[in-house]
Amino acid sequence: METPPETVPRPPRAGRREWIGLAVLALPTTLLALDLGVLYLALPYLSADLDPSSTQQLWVMDIYAFMIAGFLITMGTLGDRIGRRKLLLIGAAAFGVASVLAAYSNSAEMLIVTRALLGIAGATLGPSTLALISNMFQDEKQRGIAIAVWMSCFMAGTAIGPVVGGALLEYFWWGSVFLLGVPVMLVLLIAGPRLLPEYRDTSAGRLDAASVALSLAAILPVIYGLKELAAHGPSATAFISGAVGIACGVLFVARQRRLAAPLLDISLFRSRAFSGAMGMLLIGTATMGGVGLFVTQYLQMVDGLSPLAAGPWMLPSALGTVVGAMLAPALAQRFGMGQAIAGGAIVSAIGGALLTQVGPGSGALPVIACFTLIFLGLGPMAALSTDLIVGAAPPEKAGSAASASETSSELGVALGVALLGSVGTAVYRAEADSGYSADLPAQAVDAARESLAGASAAAVDLSDTLAAALLGPARDAFTSGLTTVAAVSAASMVLLAALAAGLLRTPKNTEQPAPDTAPDTAPENTAGKTAETAPEPAPAPENEPARAATPAP
């Protein structure tokens, strides 16, 4: 009698300890997102205290995100080598110390340096938490839920940042926004060793210093070039910076192909699930960044809300992403990952199409309703793409895969702000070129033709009548830029839906025969079997606590 083909053995399910551990991992995830936006509110207060130059202000704001983006790949791979829990705890301790130093900075230079240290420490937290989740939750369904929770915590931090920051600044000095990280990191340092397992790849080679340098030389110039493009439009600086980054990126990839122990395993991109999810994450986060840029400006400069008043209006969009992310695992189980992501993208496209209909007098409510619909539809993409990326990698490369996922998100946001920002700005300048009253000062008109922010600044020195005559055409032009960006975003969401439906056709719960592996080999950790199989993993590292569901000593 013929023996039926063996099926993949069901991986161990996570227990109470793992779910409590997930709550611990949620703390630094929320804090990282919160720290990205809270400084915008504190900038006027610290500027009055430290008196930074305009260039120093830009570096205070940007250096944190620069360092996170630049060091993600390095830190993800470093965690695979020295231990993911160990790196997480080292990063948490460094983040806490840097937070105190930033809070009590007595010069702009000191604040820039401490913000850079915060960024480097922050780069250890994201990949470590995501890689640990992949170890703690080996069951596909549980892992999908855990990653959805992780993604929801990040979005919640983004939303509550302005609210929490505004409350702190109402009663304390500007440094208090940095001290938020200290108690969070103390909890992580105390609870982490008890609740989180350790995992490292004992077969990994040494960290290649040249690859680290090339990764920084590739990512940082590209991010800088995109920011320059967003802030000042096409320029030699932006293009040269981008070209240098791309050239270094080519050298980086070439070096990784030659190394026995690469900083980033390029072979991961041979998996259709991995490369497809990376592309979808890039498109989705670009939409988030570009549309978010214009909606926040609309609330403040068209609808007239203060930054503190505009903050709560951003909560519904974050809640929409949370709802979409939390529904994603169930939708994927019912319809398959490709269909779940494609369906969400269509919802986002509808939100973008509706946003094209708003006007300068529409007010915050309809704009935020459309914005929330866009983010609701992107929730499944964010959660499921991250699940696909981490799941497509073998366990010993989960840190590297997690860092690639987060780097894609960072680049996507920067790309969206730069490209969609340039599109919106071009539309604004084309429409703001005429239509002003002859009574307006020429200097004020020139400022209005440059940007809505320039028009708002110039209007402060004018009478109410002249200010209204200046701001009216400028607000009309800005709204046209917003609706154009919304139309482009809707089109990109249709493209995302087509990619998801085409690349990820196989339902998540499809059975596959078991691979021919020895009993002591780590189980294949595929991305829901939605696309081609991930590379066969190496033998399981020693002391593999995720399988035993108990923390390492």
Side-chain angles (χ1 to χ4, degrees):
M1 183 175 180
E2 187 177 345
T3 304
E6 185 184 359
T7 57
V8 177
R10 188 175 182 82
R13 290 178 61 82
R16 183 175 64 178
R17 181 184 295 272
E18 283 75 21
W19 289 108
I20 297 175
L22 178 62
V24 174
L25 293 176
L27 294 174
T29 302
T30 305
L31 178 68
L32 268 180
L34 189 149
D35 226 41
L36 283 169
V38 72
L39 194 62
Y40 287 96
L41 293 177
L43 186 61
Y45 301 92
L46 68 87
S47 295
D49 191 12
L50 303 181
D51 192 27
S53 66
S54 58
T55 301
Q56 287 175 329
Q57 286 186 26
L58 290 175
W59 279 112
V60 167
M61 298 301 298
D62 291 341
I63 193 67
Y64 177 72
F66 276 8
M67 291 297 102
I68 286 181
F71 280 93
L72 278 172
I73 290 177
T74 298
M75 295 305 180
T77 306
L78 182 61
D80 290 340
R81 285 166 164 77
I82 70 171
R84 293 159 189 171
R85 184 183 69 184
K86 182 178 182 179
L87 181 66
L88 176 65
L89 297 179
I90 291 172
F95 197 96
V97 172
S99 295
V100 175
L101 293 175
Y104 292 98
S105 294
N106 54 22
S107 68
E109 292 82 3
M110 181 178 177
L111 183 58
I112 291 170
V113 172
T114 54
R115 285 279 288 172
L117 294 175
L118 278 170
I120 296 172
T124 68
L125 303 179
S128 298
T129 55
L130 191 52
L132 282 170
I133 286 173
S134 75
N135 298 139
M136 295 160 62
F137 299 90
Q138 296 183 29
D139 178 80
E140 287 182 354
K141 184 176 180 180
Q142 287 188 320
R143 188 185 67 221
I145 295 172
I147 288 178
V149 171
W150 178 85
M151 182 63 65
S152 298
C153 291
F154 185 86
M155 293 308 303
T158 303
I160 66 175
V163 179
V164 173
L168 287 173
L169 293 170
E170 186 74 20
Y171 299 102
F172 305 103
W173 94 114
W174 59 265
S176 62
V177 301
F178 294 109
L179 295 180
L180 280 171
V182 177
V184 171
M185 294 308 164
L186 284 176
V187 171
L188 178 58
L189 288 170
I190 294 170
R194 299 175 180 273
L195 293 171
L196 303 177
E198 183 57 288
Y199 189 103
R200 65 188 181 94
D201 181 8
T202 56
S203 63
R206 65 180 180 85
L207 197 67
D208 182 53
S211 294
V212 173
L214 281 172
S215 71
L216 290 172
I219 295 171
L220 293 180
V222 169
I223 295 288
Y224 179 77
L226 290 172
K227 283 184 173 289
E228 281 290 304
L229 182 64
H232 307 296
S235 66
T237 301
F239 286 120
I240 292 173
S241 180
V244 169
I246 292 171
C248 291
V250 172
L251 293 176
F252 174 79
V253 171
R255 184 171 181 83
Q256 302 318 293
R257 293 184 184 278
R258 296 195 305 266
L259 293 175
L263 189 68
L264 178 63
D265 189 356
I266 304 300
S267 66
L268 290 173
F269 289 88
R270 296 174 189 165
S271 166
R272 190 170 63 177
F274 185 91
S275 56
M278 288 281 288
M280 288 184 287
L281 198 58
L282 188 73
I283 294 172
T285 53
T287 299
M288 286 180 168
V291 178
L293 172 70
F294 278 83
V295 168
T296 53
Q297 291 184 80
Y298 180 95
L299 293 177
Q300 295 178 56
M301 291 187 286
V302 177
D303 205 40
L305 300 178
S306 68
L308 187 58
W313 279 102
M314 304 304 290
L315 289 173
S317 61
L319 181 61
T321 310
V322 170
V323 171
M326 294 305 297
L327 288 175
L331 293 173
Q333 286 291 321
R334 175 66 179 84
F335 302 107
M337 279 198 174
Q339 292 88 334
I341 295 174
I346 293 301
V347 172
S348 293
I350 293 172
L354 292 174
L355 190 58
T356 64
Q357 304 305 305
V358 301
S362 297
L365 185 59
V367 171
I368 292 302
C370 299
F371 189 52
T372 300
L373 200 59
I374 293 172
F375 272 53
L376 172 66
L378 285 170
M381 178 281 304
L384 296 178
S385 292
T386 303
D387 188 14
L388 279 166
I389 292 168
V390 175
E396 67 273 11
K397 296 188 181 298
S400 180
S403 66
S405 167
E406 297 206 28
T407 301
S408 179
S409 297
E410 291 285 342
L411 288 174
V413 171
L415 190 66
V417 169
L419 297 184
L420 292 179
S422 297
V423 169
T425 299
V427 172
Y428 172 86
R429 289 174 179 170
E431 296 207 8
D433 192 52
S434 59
Y436 298 101
S437 169
D439 297 330
L440 288 168
Q443 188 176 3
V445 172
D446 289 341
R449 286 171 176 161
E450 185 68 22
S451 68
L452 180 56
S456 300
V460 173
D461 299 325
L462 302 176
S463 65
D464 291 345
T465 302
L466 289 178
L470 179 71
L471 290 175
R475 286 170 173 165
D476 289 343
F478 182 86
T479 305
S480 295
L482 168 64
T483 56
T484 302
V485 167
V488 174
S489 299
S492 71
M493 288 299 96
V494 173
L495 173 62
L496 178 59
L499 285 174
L503 291 174
L504 309 172
R505 297 174 190 163
T506 308
K508 185 170 184 174
N509 55 7
T510 300
E511 295 288 342
Q512 287 186 358
D516 184 17
T517 54
D520 60 345
T521 300
E524 187 170 86
N525 190 11
T526 59
K529 305 175 187 64
T530 56
E532 68 182 42
T533 307
E536 184 173 342
E542 63 182 39
N543 187 25
E544 189 173 358
R547 214 169 297 286
T550 56

